[in-house]
Amino acid sequence: MITSNIKQRIIGKRRGAIFAPADFLDIGSRASVDQALSRLADQGVIRRLTRGLYDYPKKSPRFGFLSPSTDDIAKAVALKDGQILQPSPSMAANRLGLSTQVPSKPTYMTDGPTRTKKVGRQVIQFRNASSKTLVGAGHKTGVVFQALRYLGKDRVDGQIVDQLARALDDKDRMLLAKQSRYVPAWMHPILQQIVAHA
């Protein structure tokens, strides 16, 4: 019964969803949830990514089951462990098109311990960071702050301000203005230009 209830809920999610046993504790005890997930993994309904983390894999007619994105895995690990997550400065710059360099190991800043997590073939680094570095985590604003950290004070010109402003909508810009008081002083004039950008 527990297995079929969990299976129903999983199938109700989109393919590519990642989950932990804790997501099903309203259905049964931890031991029975673990057993049900193990059974569903054996049946090939879900896939075990790493200890305590499973996914309902996306399927491609050509390549079979696809690996989840690094971002989705990192978010799921942080959620499972109750941690805040922010892309590293180099990842943020790459995501916003300000750098073509792709970090060899995806790295995320977190309020949890520094560690490396291997999920399938992917190796993800989590680095402990100060609360100042985590300002805006989970929002586009956090990615902007991190990208600016990567570029540094002297490499930000009008073109970059334009690019960053275009990546944000009005709501993001309002949030950026609010959160800017928690970031280094050298960023303030740049952030004011981004916020004022029409």
Side-chain angles (χ1 to χ4, degrees):
M1 191 64 194
I2 286 171
T3 304
S4 68
N5 286 349
I6 289 177
K7 184 178 176 177
Q8 257 179 325
R9 187 180 292 180
I10 288 168
I11 289 169
K13 294 174 183 276
R14 60 182 171 79
R15 276 203 174 269
I18 300 176
F19 38 86
D23 298 335
F24 305 100
L25 293 181
D26 58 317
I27 294 177
S29 69
R30 178 64 199 248
S32 58
V33 167
D34 280 346
Q35 214 172 5
L37 290 172
S38 185
R39 204 171 290 146
L40 290 169
D42 289 342
Q43 291 167 10
V45 177
I46 61 174
R47 178 172 52 184
R48 185 174 184 269
L49 295 172
T50 183
R51 193 163 158 239
L53 220 54
Y54 298 84
D55 78 336
Y56 180 38
K58 283 182 179 167
K59 250 180 173 172
S60 143
R62 200 165 150 206
F63 302 110
F65 289 132
L66 304 174
S67 293
S69 76
T70 307
D71 232 26
D72 286 345
I73 294 170
K75 279 177 192 159
V77 168
L79 187 68
K80 179 169 96 69
D81 298 340
Q83 290 163 1
I84 295 169
L85 194 72
Q86 179 94 293
S88 66
S90 58
M91 278 179 72
N94 179 269
R95 201 174 285 181
L96 291 170
L98 300 174
S99 158
T100 52
Q101 278 188 312
V102 181
S104 57
K105 266 192 199 143
T107 303
Y108 294 84
M109 316 315 276
T110 171
D111 56 346
T114 294
R115 60 195 170 139
T116 300
K117 199 100 173 134
K118 196 169 187 297
V119 179
R121 288 192 203 138
Q122 304 188 57
V123 178
I124 304 170
Q125 287 187 323
F126 295 90
R127 262 199 217 136
N128 179 264
S130 67
S131 53
K132 267 190 171 171
T133 307
L134 296 169
V135 172
H139 299 278
K140 268 194 187 154
T141 52
V143 183
V144 168
F145 296 139
Q146 290 293 81
L148 287 174
R149 277 191 177 89
Y150 174 80
L151 292 168
K153 187 180 178 179
D154 304 323
R155 281 171 58 201
V156 179
D157 57 18
Q159 199 182 342
I160 283 169
V161 168
D162 283 354
Q163 208 167 328
L164 291 174
R166 278 200 306 273
L168 304 172
D169 59 24
D170 292 345
K171 217 163 92 179
D172 294 327
R173 281 204 277 272
M174 275 166 67
L175 190 59
L176 194 76
K178 225 183 260 179
Q179 293 171 340
S180 63
R181 63 171 178 265
Y182 303 110
V183 298
W186 67 264
M187 286 188 193
H188 293 178
I190 300 164
L191 296 171
Q192 279 162 1
Q193 287 177 60
I194 294 170
V195 171
H197 203 280

